Amino acid sequence: MPSYLVVGSSRGIGLEFVRQLAQNADNTVFATARNKQTATHLNAFIGAHPHGNVHVLEVDIADFRTLRNAAADAAKITNGTLDVLIHNAARLDGQNVLRTLLDYPSEEELHNEFMEAFEVNTLGGIHAVNAFLPLLRSGTNKKIIFMGGDAIRHDFIFKTQFTEMSCLSITKFGQKMTALKYAVQLKDEGFTVVTVSPGWVDTSATNVSAGARE
Ligand SMILES: NC(=O)c1ccc[n+]([C@@H]2O[C@H](COP(=O)([O-])OP(=O)(O)OC[C@H]3O[C@@H](n4cnc5c(N)ncnc54)[C@H](OP(=O)(O)O)[C@@H]3O)[C@@H](O)[C@H]2O)c1
């Protein structure tokens, strides 16, 4: 009975991971949302899903205490184990997402945007892995998957001269290094840690303005 955690799965690609993993009734799937009540798309899926194998945990990856509580709740369901952690959450919304380093309205706004994004896109993955590592160590698959993308690929940025999405690229690049550090550190325990790219995916059908949150 493999167990999966998809961090950041109220909507978008994370929700699709949950939807597909939950099709196998033998899987135990943990989905996370910052606010369970307003996770409209996730709740709609679970309401119509027949297997009862999806459990929702309330998690804000910028607050490691919520991850610690979520790990304790998950442990009660799986008897202290987790097989696969998919770290999907990222700070992608907002008016600054497309900005280059040179077109923020002010240096203060650039500073604030980068500090908030660092907490979510860089530190968030570390807090998620550290909170669930005891469960993963007791699991059988020992897989940790981070979501990358073209925005953190050197060759893509050079070839396309891609200056936009500066804050996302820089803070997610830190997450790529996070994956590498864990890959090296946990290798001898049998862990596989990777960063994968989903390509470019239109997730607008479940975005905030499409009713995902109030
Ligand atoms: N879509 C693409 O074309 C594309 C391309 C390359 C890489 N990616 C990567 O794929 C992943 C998913 O992208 P997406 O397009 O599906 O994004 P999305 O639709 O914006 O969904 C983002 C998810 O992250 C969660 N999240 C945001 N901030 C969070 C926080 N502080 N704590 C916990 N959860 C938080 C959101 O939950 P809430 O409901 O709580 O906000 C939501 O479930 C991201 O890592 C992104 O970088 C996407």
Side-chain angles (χ1 to χ4, degrees):
M1 233 178 90
S3 53
Y4 296 83
L5 166 67
V6 187
V7 180
S9 40
S10 59
R11 52 195 166 94
I13 295 170
L15 175 58
E16 184 60 16
F17 273 126
V18 167
R19 199 188 65 76
Q20 294 195 25
L21 290 167
Q23 301 310 313
N24 184 340
D26 288 338
N27 290 340
T28 299
V29 183
F30 295 103
T32 82
R34 274 181 289 182
N35 185 332
K36 279 188 197 182
Q37 282 186 328
T38 59
T40 316
H41 298 286
L42 176 62
N43 291 335
F45 166 68
I46 292 172
H49 182 62
H51 299 326
N53 57 346
V54 180
H55 307 272
V56 183
L57 306 168
E58 214 159 52
V59 159
D60 183 339
I61 58 170
D63 179 356
F64 62 84
R65 293 167 208 85
T66 67
L67 283 154
R68 194 187 286 158
N69 294 340
D73 289 343
K76 287 178 201 150
I77 293 168
T78 60
N79 205 16
T81 70
L82 177 68
D83 291 314
V84 181
L85 189 163
I86 300 173
H87 188 77
N88 175 78
R91 188 171 186 277
L92 296 159
D93 305 318
Q95 57 183 5
N96 290 324
V97 72
L98 290 175
R99 290 193 200 284
T100 74
L101 289 171
L102 298 180
D103 57 14
Y104 278 82
S106 69
E107 211 59 18
E108 285 75 17
E109 283 174 70
L110 181 150
H111 180 91
N112 293 338
E113 177 71 15
F114 270 69
M115 294 307 281
E116 284 181 33
F118 179 78
E119 279 204 330
V120 177
N121 297 340
T122 317
L123 270 183
I126 300 171
H127 289 318
V129 172
N130 286 353
F132 281 89
L133 194 55
L135 282 72
L136 288 159
R137 280 181 163 140
S138 299
T140 48
N141 290 20
K142 295 187 171 53
K143 289 193 171 52
I144 300 171
I145 299 160
F146 289 94
M147 296 301 282
D150 286 340
I152 57 169
R153 278 180 42 210
H154 290 82
D155 59 338
F156 174 82
I157 289 167
F158 274 116
K159 276 184 197 150
T160 63
Q161 298 289 288
F162 188 64
T163 52
E164 295 81 3
M165 289 188 162
S166 57
C167 181
L168 180 73
S169 302
I170 291 165
T171 53
K172 289 276 282 197
F173 200 79
Q175 182 179 278
K176 191 175 180 181
M177 184 55 69
T178 298
L180 190 54
K181 291 285 184 190
Y182 280 125
V184 172
Q185 187 152 11
L186 299 174
K187 174 174 56 72
D188 291 344
E189 294 184 47
F191 276 87
T192 304
V193 186
V194 294
T195 298
V196 299
S197 170
W200 293 93
V201 185
D202 180 1
T203 57
S204 56
T206 59
N207 73 10
V208 177
S209 58
R213 299 169 70 210
E214 298 289 328

